Amino acid sequence: MNWVDFNWTWGRPVMGGPTALATRLRVYGRERVPRRGGLVVALNHFSWIDIPAYGWASPRSLYFLAKAEAHAVPVAGAYLRLFGSFAVRRGESDREAVRRMREVVRSGEALGVFAEGTRQRAGVPGPVQPGAAMVALNEDVPVICAAIHGSQAWKVGNFAPVSIVWGKPQRFESMPSGSRGYREASAQIQAELHRLWAWLRDLHEAGRPRGVPLP
């Protein structure tokens, strides 16, 4: 067990457990997540509560890619790094972040990427950026999408219900290399995230019944 896995072992119940209670979190399809091997995990993002919620929902340690501004906050940044998170500078080329992303999956770990690049304030998933696809194509690893719904309405004290659903792993062996392949793979990731999120939205509207088939 490396130091990141060790920190996830205690951090998941300490941070994820209270988050799961406060959000009445339900997780669907956790068994779809490959337990071994390099993996890109593509996530949609609404709220700060998403990070511990996804951490609780994931059976694997996630090396989260986070904005440099979050890492610059003295206590919060140090806490993120405890769990393997590393920084990326938004809006500019960041070769060190790209190198680190590829290194994570090459070493057999799971890279967590908020695929839209930032929180979506409108409360619906936004356009997917090419980072997740780029790493998956260059390192020949699968992408698995996970969508969250309900966190866009959650606030401290309202206990709005939140749900997460995992999709099936996707591979892109037939995609062309370079920017064209990144665009095509990103379009597939975006379609999958939107499909999963729409399933959760409809599930919430129906009162989150149990025993429903996975999307």
Side-chain angles (χ1 to χ4, degrees), residues 103-192:
E103 184 181 80
V104 166
V105 299
R106 195 181 303 141
S107 63
E109 305 294 348
L111 173 70
V113 179
F114 290 114
E116 303 135 319
T118 188
R119 285 187 290 176
Q120 301 302 297
R121 310 267 183 194
V124 296
V128 164
Q129 302 303 309
M134 180 193 65
V135 174
L137 283 168
N138 285 320
E139 296 299 328
D140 190 25
V141 298
V143 173
I144 188 167
C145 293
I148 193 166
H149 177 67
S151 62
Q152 66 269 48
W154 188 91
K155 294 179 181 178
V156 175
N158 74 359
F159 299 104
V162 176
S163 301
I164 290 171
V165 62
W166 294 93
K168 295 179 180 178
Q170 299 172 283
R171 297 200 73 106
F172 305 110
E173 296 100 330
S174 61
M175 291 289 176
S177 60
S179 58
R180 179 185 167 195
Y182 303 158
R183 287 194 302 271
E184 291 182 10
S186 294
Q188 289 192 21
I189 292 169
Q190 179 172 311
E192 176 70 350

